[in-house]
Amino acid sequence: AAEANRRRSRAIASAKELRDAGSFEEARRVLGPVTSRFPDDPEARSVIDSIDRAERLVKDAEAGETRAQARRLRRIDPLG
């Protein structure tokens, strides 16, 4: 049990680092064994939720930049 808890803690720490680096899929993959073994673990669930939020923020920012770029291009060539 102690070893399983150490692995759980290492996986959660690793997932947080990967999330912070923008490696969202890898962060989820690292947490897979934890959520399988401890499906009701609140800390693992919280980290997964934070990965989802961080990924949405990145996607929203990218979409906003794409929209801004489209508006700039329309101003340059309004008929384009």
Side-chain angles (χ1 to χ4, degrees):
E3 180 58 29
N5 281 328
R6 278 192 292 277
R7 282 195 303 269
R8 174 195 158 279
S9 294
R10 281 194 303 269
I12 287 173
S14 179
K16 288 177 180 179
E17 289 177 14
L18 289 162
R19 174 204 60 206
D20 294 346
S23 299
F24 306 119
E25 290 304 316
E26 182 69 10
R28 285 188 192 92
R29 188 192 65 72
V30 165
L31 278 179
V34 174
T35 56
S36 293
R37 179 159 181 155
F38 305 99
D40 298 323
D41 185 286
E43 187 177 11
R45 183 75 252 159
S46 176
V47 173
I48 289 170
D49 290 344
S50 73
I51 293 165
D52 293 343
R53 281 192 306 276
E55 187 173 38
R56 270 195 310 275
L57 286 172
V58 168
K59 287 181 178 179
D60 289 349
E62 289 170 350
E65 179 54 35
T66 299
R67 285 191 300 275
Q69 186 177 14
R71 284 192 296 274
R72 283 192 299 275
L73 291 173
R74 262 191 304 251
R75 280 195 298 269
I76 293 168
D77 183 6
L79 300 177

